[in-house]
Each structure stands twice: as structure tokens, then as C-alpha cells.
Amino acid sequence: MSGDHSTQASFIDAWLAQNLSIEEARIELNKQFSSEEDVLYHLNYFKKKRQELRSRKGLFFMIVGALLGFISCVLTLTDIFPDMRELIMVGLTTLAISIAVLGCYFVFE
């Protein structure tokens, strides 16, 4: 394989910031490399980094949803705000579950 792969990773990071699709990345790689081996290596690296970023975002959403759910549970059990009991039980819990499910979508899709 030609070239240093660590220096070649910088343009892949720029593509991730631009949110390029896999096909657009393949076209750009075909312009830069003549060897199909190099193209496949960098395309696999691009896919791996893209999935890593997506998993990291999903994990963040799952943690936020879990913390929000825990706060909702504590507020419901302690009944600090009796007038807002229904809002906390239904609203905050629904929001927490929605955020956690969104995180699961990013991780497992």
C-alpha cells in the first residue's frame, strides 16, 4: 500500500466533519488512489470511524436518558413537588425513555 496511512487519515476526518456518504467517499478515494487495495483500506477506515462516532453519540444519548429517568424516579418517589407529580411521572419519564431509545437506535442501527 502506498503512502502513510496516519497522514491519509486527516482527509477522512474532514470527510466525517462534512458528513460525506460512503459512495461520495469512494469517489473521492478513487480520485486519490490508483490501487484498489488502498481504496478499500481507506474506505473501511472511513466506515469504522463513522460507526465509532455514531456509537459514541448513541452512548451519550443513552446515558442522558438514563440520568433523566433516574432524576424522574427520585423526584416521583420523594414527591418534592406534589403539584407537578403527573408532569414528572408522565412527561419527564417519557422524555427520558425517548432519549434513551434514540441512543439505542444510534448504537444498534
Side-chain angles (χ1 to χ4, degrees), residues 1 5 12 36-46:
M1 289 182 215
H5 295 303
I12 291 178
E36 186 64 28
E37 251 181 53
D38 287 339
V39 171
L40 289 177
Y41 174 81
H42 286 87
L43 193 62
N44 285 335
Y45 179 77
F46 175 74

Side-chain angles (χ1 to χ4, degrees), residues 9 13 22 25 39 42 46-47 52 56 60 67 75 83-84 87-89 97 99 101 103 109:
D13 292 335
I22 293 173
V39 171
H42 286 87
F46 175 74
K47 289 178 184 178
E52 180 183 308
R56 188 175 296 150
F60 173 76
L67 288 175
L75 288 176
D83 296 338
M84 300 179 68
L87 178 67
I88 292 171
M89 283 177 62
I97 291 171
I99 291 173
V101 168
E109 192 254 337

Side-chain angles (χ1 to χ4, degrees), residues 15-106:
W15 292 347
L16 290 169
Q18 295 172 1
N19 203 14
L20 250 64
S21 71
I22 293 173
E23 288 305 316
E24 291 170 333
R26 181 184 293 273
I27 292 169
E28 292 294 323
L29 286 170
N30 282 331
K31 290 178 187 175
Q32 291 184 7
F33 298 102
S34 59
S35 169
E36 186 64 28
E37 251 181 53
D38 287 339
V39 171
L40 289 177
Y41 174 81
H42 286 87
L43 193 62
N44 285 335
Y45 179 77
F46 175 74
K47 289 178 184 178
K48 188 186 300 184
K49 290 292 282 185
R50 197 168 122 173
Q51 184 59 38
E52 180 183 308
L53 290 174
R54 192 172 170 90
S55 294
R56 188 175 296 150
K57 182 176 20 173
L59 184 62
F60 173 76
F61 280 128
M62 287 192 307
I63 290 171
V64 168
L67 288 175
L68 199 57
F70 177 74
I71 290 169
S72 171
C73 177
V74 169
L75 288 176
T76 301
L77 291 175
T78 58
D79 204 19
I80 295 175
F81 308 110
D83 296 338
M84 300 179 68
R85 182 180 307 132
E86 290 81 17
L87 178 67
I88 292 171
M89 283 177 62
V90 176
L92 201 57
T93 304
T94 302
L95 183 64
I97 291 171
S98 299
I99 291 173
V101 168
L102 177 67
C104 289
Y105 170 75
F106 282 129

